[in-house]
Amino acid sequence: MSNILAGLFEHHSDYKKLESDLENSGFANSDYVIYLCDNGTSQYLASVTVKDNDQVENARSIFHQNAALKAYLFEGMNVKETNYDTIKKYIDARNRAEIHNSPDVKIKTSSDGMNSEVKF
């Protein structure tokens, strides 16, 4: 069974260039889908069918060259059985499960003198 590499792209990136880069690197027109958002932004998602690690790395490289914010590999999926809502749902689930960096936290160390743990 094939896998899907999905990518979320920058607002300023050009999806037409992504299409030509994918086709020039050996992916057929039927191997990828580009999901354009109609919410007024030019941000978009793309998914590519990949069969082995070489194709995964090739597609990741193309995604990176075309300003992908992040790429996600979904195993056991096929482009024909996915749509925008399905891909978005899986990406949202992955993001919720991912451990994000926390903001800088200042830890107060003990100092000479009284502190809040002193009991009277």
Side-chain angles (χ1 to χ4, degrees), residues 71-91:
Y72 305 87
L73 181 64
F74 300 107
E75 297 179 353
M77 290 182 77
N78 183 320
V79 165
K80 291 177 178 73
E81 61 193 21
T82 61
N83 57 35
Y84 176 80
D85 293 328
T86 305
I87 295 289
K88 182 101 172 74
K89 181 177 72 170
Y90 283 125
I91 288 174

Side-chain angles (χ1 to χ4, degrees), residues 110-120:
S110 64
S111 61
D112 297 324
M114 293 180 16
N115 64 18
S116 63
E117 295 179 4
V118 175
K119 294 183 182 179
F120 292 86

Side-chain angles (χ1 to χ4, degrees), residues 30-68:
S30 61
D31 289 338
Y32 66 89
V33 177
I34 296 178
Y35 308 95
L36 300 175
C37 304
D38 9 337
N39 58 3
T41 67
S42 59
Q43 191 172 21
Y44 61 92
L45 290 171
S47 60
V48 180
T49 301
V50 290
K51 295 174 181 68
D52 56 29
N53 288 338
D54 291 336
Q55 283 190 339
V56 171
E57 291 309 313
N58 187 16
R60 273 189 206 276
S61 173
I62 293 168
F63 280 10
H64 179 70
Q65 292 169 10
N66 286 278

